[in-house]
């Protein structure tokens, strides 16, 4: 069964450093998402992406964040200058269609630790 | 008012019992609702989706939706210890389908 994959599983970085989190969505899916979950808190939407551009973004997704689909398979989230409060699990999700009935499938996540 | 609310639990049920998990949402125009299961340290795993008022059954799971009351529930019949996890209610929002999650209800099934 196809699944979303994410690398690395755990990333440790120093405050102020840039990190890139990688995702490979399910192959026939067209809509991609990033969510994050701070330890003990709820899953929060960051950004949605379709047709090589951002569709929607939340207030969390400020100028420090960017997303890219550099090739036909990868979908990346870049944090330019990490802060302590960026420490969280970051989940990539994908879905085949948009609209009310899309079912989003999540990758295993990347645990980002900012020291 | 929070957009999606769930009782954080923990909800403890004996093995074989029915577990009932509840969720309310604030946006009356919401159309799509999803239940995810999240084991500790893992990612959300989709269990059920429901779009119309009434019940939807899938194996041991039944989702119930009442749009007038802005209420979604998940019933787990014949609960097993392997069902012990946090159950997340999510509501579709936005034109491109981003989900708004509740904080989740932690379920513990005791053998």
């Amino acid at each position: 069964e196809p699944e979303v994959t994410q690398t690395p599983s755990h990333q440790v970085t120093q405050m102020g450093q840039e990190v890139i989190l990688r995702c490979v969505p399910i192959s026939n899916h067209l809509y991609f998402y990033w969510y994050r979950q701070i330890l003990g808190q709820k899953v929060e939407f960051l950004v949605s992406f379709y047709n090589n551009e951002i569709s929607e973004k939340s207030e969390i997704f400020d100028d420090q964040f960017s997303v890219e689909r550099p090739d036909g398979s990868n979908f990346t989230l870049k944090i330019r200058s990490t802060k302590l409060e960026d420490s969280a699990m970051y989940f990539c999700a994908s879905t085949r269609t948009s609209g009310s009935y899309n079912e989003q499938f999540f990758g295993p996540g990347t645990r980002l630790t900012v020291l | 008012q929070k957009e999606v609310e769930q009782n954080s639990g923990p909800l403890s049920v004996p093995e074989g019992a029915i577990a009932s998990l509840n969720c309310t949402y604030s946006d009356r125009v919401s159309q799509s609702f999803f239940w995810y299961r999240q084991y500790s340290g893992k990612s959300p795993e989709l269990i059920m989706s429901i779009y119309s008022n009434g019940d939807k059954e899938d194996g041991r799971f039944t989702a119930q939706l009442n749009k007038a009351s802005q209420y979604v529930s998940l019933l787990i019949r014949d609960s097993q210890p392997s069902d012990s996890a946090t159950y997340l209610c999510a509501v579709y929002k936005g034109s491109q389908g981003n989900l708004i999650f509740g904080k989740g209800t932690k379920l513990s099934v005791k053998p």
Side-chain angles (χ1 to χ4, degrees):
Chain A
E1 186 173 329
E3 57 186 22
V4 178
T5 59
Q6 290 184 244
T7 55
S9 57
H10 190 190
Q11 175 90 48
V12 181
T13 189
Q14 295 290 325
M15 189 169 56
Q17 295 296 304
E18 174 183 288
V19 294
I20 297 176
L21 310 182
R22 292 182 167 78
C23 167
V24 178
I26 295 173
S27 62
N28 64 346
H29 286 190
L30 301 175
Y31 298 84
F32 315 124
Y33 308 84
W34 284 101
Y35 293 83
R36 80 170 186 191
Q37 187 176 33
I38 295 171
L39 186 64
Q41 298 189 25
K42 64 181 180 179
V43 177
E44 300 175 289
F45 167 74
L46 293 178
V47 65
S48 59
F49 190 87
Y50 169 69
N51 200 25
N52 282 319
E53 60 183 29
I54 290 174
S55 306
E56 288 187 75
K57 58 184 180 179
S58 71
E59 293 176 353
I60 303 168
F61 194 89
D62 61 22
D63 291 344
Q64 293 298 313
F65 291 89
S66 62
V67 289
E68 192 178 33
R69 188 156 164 83
D71 54 43
S73 59
N74 288 284
F75 178 50
T76 62
L77 174 69
K78 181 192 290 186
I79 309 175
R80 261 179 275 280
S81 178
T82 51
K83 308 184 191 73
L84 295 176
E85 54 264 38
D86 293 328
S87 295
M89 282 288 287
Y90 288 81
F91 297 112
C92 174
S94 70
T95 185
R96 192 164 53 86
T97 62
S98 70
S100 301
Y101 307 116
N102 76 87
E103 293 182 338
Q104 294 183 25
F105 296 91
F106 283 68
T110 294
R111 180 174 298 283
L112 177 64
T113 302
V114 182
L115 303 176
Chain B
Q1 183 183 9
K2 293 179 184 175
E3 294 193 73
V4 180
E5 292 203 58
Q6 297 181 255
N7 187 327
S8 61
L11 173 65
S12 184
V13 300
E15 184 175 354
I18 296 175
S20 177
L21 305 159
N22 305 314
C23 170
T24 59
Y25 59 94
S26 61
D27 189 346
R28 187 168 288 278
V29 302
S30 299
Q31 298 179 36
S32 310
F33 309 88
F34 305 87
W35 283 100
Y36 285 82
R37 177 173 62 198
Q38 187 176 33
Y39 292 111
S40 181
K42 302 296 186 183
S43 62
E45 174 191 5
L46 181 66
I47 305 174
M48 295 278 288
S49 57
I50 186 165
Y51 313 119
S52 304
N53 280 328
D55 294 0
K56 178 182 177 183
E57 188 174 316
D58 184 0
R60 295 187 296 113
F61 299 99
T62 299
Q64 299 174 317
L65 174 60
N66 183 327
K67 290 185 180 181
S69 300
Q70 295 174 239
Y71 176 89
V72 194
S73 66
L74 179 70
L75 301 178
I76 306 174
R77 287 182 298 282
D78 188 23
S79 296
Q80 302 296 309
S82 58
D83 295 326
S84 298
T86 298
Y87 288 80
L88 310 178
C89 174
V91 177
Y92 165 89
K93 182 173 182 177
S95 60
Q96 296 297 330
N98 50 288
L99 298 174
I100 305 298
F101 283 84
K103 283 199 73 174
T105 298
K106 187 170 184 178
L107 172 66
S108 177
V109 181
K110 305 292 187 187

